[in-house]
Amino acid sequence: MANCIIFCAAEFDTLAEPIARGDYVIAADGGFAHVQKLGLEPDCVLGDFDSLGYVPDHAKLFPVEKDDTDAMLAVRRGLDSGCGELILYGSLDGDRVDHTMANFQLLCFLADRGARGTLVGLRNIVITVKDETVAFPADFAGTVSVFCMGAPARGVTIRGLKYELIEGELTSAYPLGVSNSFVGAESRIAVEKGCVLVLFDTANGMRWRYE
């Protein structure tokens, strides 16, 4: 399946990886300014355009009063187009904390549908791990945090980081997984049952793998 690359309105420094031929590119509202700056020709432009301030030519216009955020509209479009990997730039560092929280939930929405989502911001990348294992290369550096989303995450095993956990449980009511660190070894985060968010430094790039 092709990747879906979504540009949202918040900030980011650079692309975490090149956009490949066949990737489906969506500009969501203020994300249209990003694709213009990057010189990209998006496959779809959509949103209510309250952030951008005008409606681009040939855009799909939605009302401001709606259930879906512009990012969620873009995610639905990506899924409908057959994409299984969705990368959202400008999805973390805006001035609306509520939209950041909405994007965390959006990652869980994707995980529940068998798709993978990645949020890319100025300082952090955020992914989900649901009923699976993610492995990071030994050269990853900096802080890594793990947060439960929704029901308790059970059978959580963290190896190769500064603080390890074996068959533990994470809940959404206690931040046990905050502020761990990469230590120069290959590391893994495994979840037997449940969904967690994993946050780490953007400088590490997109070189993890699911097992």
Side-chain angles (χ1 to χ4, degrees):
M1 292 184 287
N3 290 344
C4 178
I5 314 300
I6 298 170
F7 291 92
C8 302
E11 297 303 314
F12 66 96
D13 280 332
T14 186
L15 296 178
E17 63 179 12
I19 296 177
R21 181 186 295 273
D23 284 349
Y24 190 68
V25 178
I26 301 176
D29 198 332
F32 184 69
H34 291 312
V35 300
Q36 286 187 307
K37 184 177 180 180
L38 292 167
L40 299 174
E41 188 67 35
D43 297 290
C44 177
V45 181
L46 55 72
D48 55 33
F49 300 103
D50 59 347
S51 297
L52 188 64
Y54 68 95
V55 181
D57 292 340
H58 311 298
K60 299 181 182 299
L61 178 62
F62 291 83
V64 173
E65 295 181 354
K66 58 188 184 304
D67 289 336
D68 287 343
T69 64
D70 292 331
M72 180 60 84
L73 291 173
V75 161
R76 291 187 189 276
R77 178 80 176 189
L79 291 176
D80 289 345
S81 297
C83 299
E85 299 270 353
L86 296 92
I87 303 169
L88 290 87
Y89 289 96
S91 50
L92 292 173
D93 296 293
D95 57 3
R96 294 280 303 273
V97 175
D98 53 346
H99 277 277
T100 301
M101 290 299 299
N103 289 337
F104 291 159
Q105 291 188 323
L106 181 153
L107 288 185
C108 298
F109 174 89
L110 287 170
D112 287 346
R113 285 153 182 79
R116 301 197 190 281
T118 303
L119 307 181
V120 181
L122 287 169
R123 293 169 293 276
N124 294 113
I125 288 175
V126 185
I127 62 174
T128 51
V129 182
K130 181 181 180 182
D131 306 341
E132 60 190 342
T133 300
V134 66
F136 300 101
D139 62 349
F140 265 41
T143 300
V144 54
S145 295
V146 183
F147 296 103
C148 174
M149 293 294 289
R154 297 187 171 90
V156 179
T157 296
I158 299 174
R159 297 184 184 274
L161 298 179
K162 182 177 181 179
Y163 306 108
E164 296 194 331
L165 179 67
I166 308 299
E167 295 292 322
E169 179 176 289
L170 298 181
T171 74
S172 57
Y174 184 66
L176 178 65
V178 70
S179 295
N180 211 328
S181 299
F182 294 109
V183 293
E186 185 171 282
S187 54
R188 285 176 170 78
I189 299 170
V191 181
E192 287 186 5
K193 183 66 175 178
C195 184
V196 300
L197 294 182
V198 182
L199 296 78
F200 50 91
D201 293 350
T202 304
N204 290 305
M206 299 181 65
R207 295 177 294 112
W208 62 89
R209 69 178 185 276
Y210 290 97
E211 299 178 342

